[in-house]
Amino acid sequence: MLRVNNIEVIYSNVVLVLRGVSLEVREGQIVTILGANGAGKTTTLQAISGLLLSQEGEITRGSIELGDTRIDHRPAEDIVQLGIIQVLEGRRLFGHLTVEENLAIGAVARGHNRRMIAEDLEQVYRYFPRLKDIHRRISGYLSGGEQQMLVIGRGLMARPKLMLLDEPSIGLAPLLVQDIFQAINQINKESGIPILLVEQNAKIALEVADYAYVMETGRIVLDGPADQLAENEDIKEFYLGLTQVGERKSYRDVKHYKRRKRWLG
Amino acid sequence: MNWQLLPQFALTGILAGGPIALIALGLVLIFKSSYIFNFAQGQLLLLGALFTWYFSIELELNLWLSIFLAVAVMALIGFAIERFALRPMTGQPLLSIILMTLGLSQALQGLALLVFGGAQRNFPQIFSAGDPYKITTPLVHEGNNIILILKQNLVWSFVVAVIGVIIIGGFFQYTRTGLAMRATSEDHELAQSTGLRIRRIFGISWGLAGVVATVGGVLLATSSGLDLSLSLVVLAAFPAVLLGGLDSIPGTVAGGLLIGLSQGLVKVSKVPIVRNSAEIMPYVVLMIVLLIRPEGLFGQKRIERI
Amino acid sequence: MKNDIVHLDVQDISLSFGGTQALLNVGLDVYQGEILAIIGPNGAGKTSTLNCISGFYRADRGDIFFEGQDITRTPTHKIAEFGIARTFQNIALYTGLSTLDNLMAARHVHMKSGMLGCMLYWGFAHRENIEHRHVVEEIIDFLEIEHIRKAVVGALPHGLRKRVELGRALALEPKLLLLDEPMTGMNLEEKEDMARFILDIHELQNTTIVLIEHDMGLVMDIADRISVLDFGRKIAEGTPEEIRDNPAVIQAYLGQEY
Amino acid sequence: MAIQRPAGEFDFSYAYDMATIRRRWQWVMLLLFLAGLYTLPLYASRSVVSLVNRIGISIIAVQGLNLLTGYTGQISIGQAAFMTAGGYISALLVNNLGWPFPAALPVAALGAGLVGLIFGLPSLRVKGFYLTMATLAAQFIIPWFTRQAFPEVLNGAQGLNVNVPVIFGIEFNEPGKYIYLTLTTLIITTVIAHNISRSRLGRAFVAIRDNDLAAELLGVNLFKYKLQAFFLAAVYAGVAGSLMAHHLRHINSETFNLVDSVLLLGMLVVGGLGTNLGAIVGAIVVEFIIEGATLSAPFFVELFPATAAGMIQALRPLFFGVTLMLFLIFEPRGLAHRWQLFKAAWRLRPFSH
């Protein structure tokens, strides 16, 4: 349903961050993009969601299609109206609004009426019962896990056709990461919303995803069904931190600093 | 102290605080949606009053039609300011935005002088100036009951201001557009990513600010006459906004009334220097509040995270 | 290396904001020269604990002693003078300054020139600038950031900024180093570098280190001891092996993974 | 990269790496430039000399504002109020107590600095808009004080006539002479501002601007340094106010007003915040633009004959306001930044990247 065809992105007219990225998300799939910091994962999401424009970025080549419509060079608001919802990195929420107000924003932005908002709230509370308990709390005081639930819930309120999730696990405890990914999986399986997931935590991402792409310095270097990639030797070594024999390498075994002579005085 | 004057000055002070609160509300309106403190609000006020004067006196239109036209023109000017001056500033630091509105205030003040000239003008009277309301109080001074004298236009300005505040306060708290504005003021990029049309929201809030400014300008001009120094009145509203904590509508109203009251109270004094301090009272009160309760009287404490 | 002298003694501190209990009777003994890791779910109070130690928050109840001195109510900027430095979860560099000036700015507590001295500059302030530049260059060299010495830090990539921030904390010549998630958002290679720097600081300077980190593999590898917080309370403390097998920790934090 | 050295020029010591003026030709250029300025009255017209004199005084005030707003990040719209304080103190010392001007100037500066401290006090607990408002309070309270307090000494709204400075029997009674006072003071204030920016104090200021919470946790006493910034800004304002008062030979509560405060802030932004060059360039450019408003007044009188009398009063804010807005939109980092880019491009020519 979503096709990114060979796009190139330039920031502030000088910095080339994406050099020909192509990828595809099919109906009902969870697709993940893995890669190091600065590889261009977030930029890819922003190119799709139209947020590049507000970051002084520009798609200079290639195209992005949702179904049969081209959506590159459209502003972010229009793309949301088409049903592509991006959940930004870092659990960003409207800290001075209540939980329920935060959720409502997701629907208000798509012009839903009060009845639709009430229906959708029920659905979000079904996925995240914790949010119902705290629906009147000021969201700035929530814990990291609750905030992550809230921002995903806000995305759901917009009745998305496709969700883009940017690093939902960042800075979360292992247990919470599992909870969040379980919820992501459940949302995908029950409501069939396809999800494009950008993630540092390669292990868990490969567990839930159907298909995965690996990015390095603005290029897709590897792609394939998630279960196959999880068995790939390079992925094992560089993304899962395992040694040749499958043992984890210890951080204590890295080379150390040697003091050098300084020549300036 | 001239104690017998206290009730009179206190009450007039509070009533005078009504329009201050309304003007302050125009500031809060923009602040709540776009996190911009509009130093040019005084000039919007001035322009609103000047257009009303132009339509009603120069073009000899019906007064209410003139006000309506002025409101419409000012809403458009509000939109235009947002579109051409503030929108390019999206993402710039606080100082740049403060300076943009300061630069705007200078440019508009100069433009008003250039186009309309600097003379004092007669402004149409909306509320009759004579025939003040008289209230006989149970308080007694030198054998006579103290009688409070309230000018009609002062009372009605106050009433209009209060109505304006209630309408806008309700709009913010209970409508979906109001919610969208509150969200947008917190984080533009996030608001955009959720699909809020932030440009339209900024446009609406600047348009509304133009409307509120016009109403405020007309109310003030009808009681104190119209010349270019009208724009300075807003300087008394800045502290009112801060006393309220910058983003609280009830706080702003209380701040406006408090400032009106403080200005009324010092006039009771027999010491000339205290009596003459009415003009700086807003700022004296502000300094005291900043030192004692810096988040304002009603402001939310910011959540500081590191 | 590690010995039995208590370097930092956090005695049953409690903290609440806006009705939420952030910390409840949290106590920590940090021994001289050890690496103590604090782990726990988000919102468990890890950063709040660091904030209380470094004076950014004031504990409602409880006391904090550093090298035997009560620092519970010491003004925030004085705590740095005692030799406690930290890094931040979300990088908090001086974005408009170069790497070099960020580090020089952190020499603040070691420099002496006052307002008048700085206005006149020549003489003392000048000599002092050069003297401290030596220390700073040493750190730049150690962290391998020579190439970005004069680059404005705001424009640097995430991994390098994290490294400059560590450098800035080191420029304070801390006796106690508080690291708040020094490796979030880093790839494996960057994490290895960072781990190496932390271990080297620890070995070369015998600095006491308190570390918050979510990467359990890393914590297990480099920490001497681990404290686990949950809902503002300490639920466990011990060596990595003990923590790995602690049922309460598995239940609250780790899950069945480890 | 922030600083790129031309090829063939190497650093052989930290002292040399840190030096401001690195080459002999740079010294020569500087001295020639100063010589040109000092001999200005010999070949330039009276109005040019007068303009340069005014620019010089503005630069001093902007330099002070730069320390507070540019380096420390505390936005102030009260700089003109501290100029008022400095101007009045200096006038009283010279007129009423018969002090010589060279003694009155620094004392007026210190006096203004102390007044600045009072209005810096809220910086203990507030920042951003709130602090800006405290400086706006200065802009109301100080002029009000000069109008209302001690009318027998301060002469109310009328203000004071100020004596001409006399040093070694020389009366500095016309721009051609006064400019020497201004230029000499300006050189001293420039050197001091530069020294502050490259030492411990300046780095503490910028630390507060860029991340006050981190700065405090790394040992910077926020309150102390914010107050020092307020003090220094007001000291510079005091110097500028004193120079201007003795130049105009009159001062009242409106000599330096709110519009001037905005103007000074505008100069700083046009030039470039937090750079010493910016304070200088900004003041020059904005003063020239305002001069342009005066020169173009006759043209506008034909268009708007009704406003003929107030034409200059209308054009000055209009020109300044529009300039400021255009700069904010098209060159938000100021001319100093543009100059940096230009220098870098020149060095690397003919390659653009």
Side-chain angles (χ1 to χ4, degrees), chain A residues 35-37 91 137 141 143-145 170-176 178 200 203 207 237-242 248-252 254-262 264-265, chain C residues 40-43 134 137-138 141-142 146 149 158 181 184-188 190-192 195-196 199-200 203-204 214-218 221-224 251-255 257:
Chain A
N37 238 281
R91 303 190 278 285
R137 290 256 294 275
Y141 289 112
S143 74
I170 201 164
L172 287 186
L175 195 63
L176 279 173
Q178 287 173 9
Q200 287 269 338
K203 189 167 180 305
E207 271 172 30
E237 186 178 350
F238 292 104
Y239 289 90
L240 301 172
L242 304 173
R248 211 175 50 78
K249 194 162 79 181
S250 171
Y251 284 99
R252 290 218 175 245
V254 282
K255 61 184 183 331
H256 285 251
Y257 170 73
K258 287 270 188 322
R259 193 169 181 281
R260 283 191 298 263
K261 169 84 185 90
R262 317 269 324 120
L264 287 176
Chain C
N42 263 82
H134 283 275
E137 288 288 345
E138 195 78 35
D141 200 31
F142 167 67
E146 299 91 337
R149 188 188 277 123
H158 179 85
E181 304 197 12
T184 29
M186 289 191 167
N187 62 26
L188 197 68
E190 290 170 321
K191 278 185 183 175
E192 282 179 356
R196 170 162 61 96
L199 289 170
D200 279 341
E203 267 165 39
L204 298 174
H214 278 300
D215 185 327
M216 287 311 300
L218 196 132
D221 283 349
I222 69 172
D224 295 317
Q251 217 260 314
Y253 182 65
L254 292 178
E257 264 323 276

Side-chain angles (χ1 to χ4, degrees), chain B residues 5 21 30 69 93 95 97 105 114 152 170 214 251 254 290:
Chain B
L5 295 178
I30 292 176
L69 286 176
L95 175 63
I97 291 169
S105 73
L114 189 66
Q152 277 197 18
T214 310
L290 285 185

Side-chain angles (χ1 to χ4, degrees), chain A residues 133-149:
Chain A
D133 303 337
I134 54 172
H135 73 281
R136 298 184 76 100
R137 290 256 294 275
I138 298 292
S139 60
Y141 289 112
L142 303 185
S143 74
E146 291 163 346
Q147 293 188 342
Q148 188 63 50
M149 293 176 201

Side-chain angles (χ1 to χ4, degrees), chain C residues 96 113 119 129 133 137 150, chain D residues 2 14 17 195 200 203 210:
Chain C
S113 27
M119 288 164 78
N129 259 351
R133 175 83 184 264
E137 288 288 345
K150 288 189 175 171
Chain D
Y14 290 140
D17 180 42
N195 284 346
R200 178 175 185 252
R203 282 189 293 265
D210 282 354

